[in-house]
Each structure stands twice: as structure tokens, then as C-alpha cells.
Amino acid sequence: MSAETSDSPAESERADRTMHFSMTGVREGFIECIPIALSVAGYGIAFGVLAAQSGVTVAEAAFMSATVLAGAAQLIAIELWAHPIPVGTIIATTFIVNLRYVLMGAALQPWFSRLSPLQSYGSVFFTADENWALTMGEFRSGSRRGAFLLGSGLAIWIFWISATVVGAVSGAAIGDPARYGLDFALTAVFIAIAVELWDGRSRLLPWAAAFGVAIGAASVLPGRWYILLGGLAGCFAEVVRVAA
Amino acid sequence: MSAVTYITKAGGLWLLSRIEVPEYAEAGLAVLPGAIIVSIVGPELARAGPPEWGAGAVALLVAWRTENVLLALVSGVAAVLLFRGV
């Protein structure tokens, strides 16, 4: 991703191009991202319902959505949620599953290097998969609106938190989850995320490695460490595949 | 969770102004979220039975056709209720 990005036309014109960071950019990013933010809200409702089912309070779920803003990591934290809370496992898994953001941030660098540290490092807090893709498209087409990531991210942030609250309030009103099949809801959501992440046949090898190692580790290790081990096995298999 | 998430979001921006990321590392990082999800769902489904396998297939199909997470959730849950009932 980054190798191609640094050779893009925008990069070669870097010297004579300045980025603007203004309220207009924020507003335009916000408005253009609203349709996407609406679809994110559907996901947020699902997260809220599942969080409430796992015993997370409405306030805790809203706080998590406001400060973390990373859908897959939040759902995994909910999956791992128990009393006492397995803090180490949750933080380690959050870090690993979010490592993709390192790549996404790296791809923004050619444009963000022309903003002030406060503007760029403030904006990246609002990175989500959806508005990152929108912003990359915007920048690659030659836009100088440096505040676009912030504006589009704010749209996602607001819809994400509101949807979490709606989901958590209705989720808390439902009694025994298994009676309504809701014990299966998180699995269904993970399957849907996997479908989104399926990038074609090249995914087969790393996913098979992850599957095999996770099943093996789950039968011999206590706790949920098999999730991290499976993820790392998939990563390792992909590194070997690409390097070979 | 907030702190480690922010570290990953800001890390790439910070890192790339200093080093070049090799292609294999990039590929390895890109595959991580999917591999983690497979590692969660795999053992879970292996422990479950035919109703969950069938409902999983329904959720997969709906997610693939509609690309809608909420719809996949609703149909997966409806399917598991139906299959557990029979």
C-alpha cells in the first residue's frame, strides 16, 4: 500500500502543494460521510445490543465507543468480557487486531506531513476503516482539504456513539439471551466481518493457518490465548507466503 | 483499549516519517484482523452443533449477498432459533 502511495502523482507534486485545514474541510468531510456513517450506525446498534448482553452497562459501552472507536476490537473485547475482566488478554488482542491502523496511518503520511502535529495527530484519533477509505480517495483525487479525515471521522464518531446507546438500551431490556438465539448474535457478526475482510483466494492460506492453530491451541491452553495465537499464526503464514 | 488503539492509529504516521515498511511486513499486518476473527469463530463453531453450523452458513450467505452486518446478525439469530427448534 505505502510503496505505491509514495509514488502517486500527489506525492511528486508535494513541493508546490499545500494542505488546507479549515472548518469548511471539516464540514465537507462530515456531510460526505453521513451516508457511510448511517451504515456504521447499524453496526453500532449490533455492538450496543451485544455489549448489554455481556453485562456491560450503557454508560460503559458508550464510553468505550467514544474513546476507542474501533468496531472489530470493541466486539472482540465484548466477546472476551467476563468477571473479573481479563485485562491483559483484552489489551493484547485489541493491539494486535488494530495493527492494521499502522498501515492506514502510514498511507496518510504523504498528505498529513504537510499539516501541523496537532492537526495530524488529532485527526488520526478519528480514523475508522470507512472514513479512512473515503479520505484516501479524496486525497488521491487531488483534494487539499486536510481536515477531511477529521470531519468524516466526526460523522462516524457521533453515529457510532448514538447507535451504541440505542443498542445497549434495547439490549438491556431483553432477558435471557439464549431464549431468543442472541447467544449466537456475536458469532453471526464475526462471520459477517470475516466476509467483509475476505479479499480473494490469497486469504485462504493465512486463514487456514489461523483456524488450525486456534483449534489446536483451544484444546490445550486455558483462557482465550488461542485467539492471539491463531491470529499470529495467520500473520506468520502470510509473511512466509509473500516472502517466498 | 483507548490508548493501544490510538497508538496504532498514530503509529503508522509517526513510523513512516522514519523508516520504510517492507512488503512482507505490510502483508502480514493486513491479514491480522481476518486471522483473529477466524481464530475466534473457528473454535466456537467447532464446539457447537448442527444448528449453529446451519445458522453460520445463513449468516455467511446474507453477509456475502447484502454486505450488511446488522442484517447478517438478524438472519443468523433467526436461523439458529429455527434450527434449534427442529
Side-chain angles (χ1 to χ4, degrees):
Chain A
M1 204 184 299
S2 66
E4 286 85 357
T5 311
S6 54
D7 293 324
S8 69
E11 171 75 0
S12 57
E13 289 167 25
R14 191 175 184 158
D16 53 280
R17 298 203 112 209
T18 46
M19 294 293 283
H20 302 296
F21 197 92
S22 63
M23 268 317 288
T24 319
V26 173
R27 200 176 60 234
E28 284 168 350
F30 190 94
I31 291 167
E32 277 179 45
C33 196
I34 283 179
I36 295 169
L38 275 171
S39 72
V40 169
Y43 194 163
I45 290 175
F47 167 73
V49 170
L50 296 165
Q53 293 291 335
S54 305
V56 176
T57 67
V58 176
E60 284 168 345
F63 183 73
M64 193 194 275
S65 283
T67 58
V68 179
L69 188 63
Q74 287 180 230
L75 282 163
I76 291 168
I78 291 304
E79 161 83 16
L80 296 170
W81 208 266
H83 290 287
I85 299 167
V87 177
T89 317
I90 290 181
I91 289 180
T93 314
T94 299
F95 182 71
I96 299 287
V97 82
N98 281 339
L99 275 177
R100 70 183 186 287
Y101 287 127
V102 173
L103 289 181
M104 291 159 54
L108 287 168
Q109 209 268 346
W111 293 278
F112 270 26
S113 62
R114 282 169 282 164
L115 299 177
S116 79
L118 180 66
Q119 290 167 346
S120 54
Y121 286 100
S123 292
V124 290
F125 171 80
F126 294 95
T127 306
D129 298 314
E130 295 81 3
N131 70 316
W132 173 83
L134 191 69
T135 304
M136 286 305 291
E138 175 81 10
F139 285 170
R140 282 198 178 129
S141 65
S143 163
R144 299 176 189 193
R145 293 182 293 189
F148 196 88
L149 184 76
L150 175 63
S152 55
L154 279 170
I156 292 204
W157 189 66
I158 289 167
F159 278 85
W160 180 241
I161 299 170
S162 321
T164 298
V165 171
V166 171
V169 169
S170 40
I174 302 168
D176 174 28
R179 210 180 124 205
Y180 303 100
L182 281 169
D183 54 321
F184 189 73
L186 200 52
T187 310
V189 168
F190 282 133
I191 289 173
I193 298 174
V195 169
E196 261 174 34
L197 292 171
W198 179 257
D199 240 12
R201 269 217 212 125
S202 63
R203 288 284 183 264
L204 197 59
L205 176 76
W207 285 23
F211 183 79
V213 169
I215 299 258
S219 61
V220 293
L221 287 176
R224 314 299 291 272
W225 291 106
Y226 64 87
I227 295 175
L228 265 184
L229 287 176
L232 292 175
C235 173
F236 183 71
E238 178 70 359
V239 168
V240 170
R241 188 185 73 84
V242 171
Chain B
M1 272 189 85
S2 318
V4 294
T5 301
Y6 182 74
I7 287 169
T8 60
K9 286 180 180 178
L13 198 57
W14 182 83
L15 210 65
L16 207 78
S17 47
R18 283 152 190 87
I19 60 154
E20 190 78 13
V21 184
E23 192 198 346
Y24 66 85
E26 208 170 89
L29 288 181
V31 86
L32 263 177
I36 296 257
I37 303 276
V38 169
S39 307
I40 292 174
V41 174
E44 217 164 72
L45 284 181
R47 278 193 296 265
E52 286 78 19
W53 298 338
V58 169
L60 184 91
L61 198 70
V62 171
W64 177 50
R65 303 302 298 198
T66 66
E67 291 176 9
N68 186 322
V69 175
L70 195 59
L71 217 56
L73 184 160
V74 172
S75 41
V77 166
V80 88
L81 272 183
L82 186 75
F83 296 152
R84 279 172 185 169
V86 292

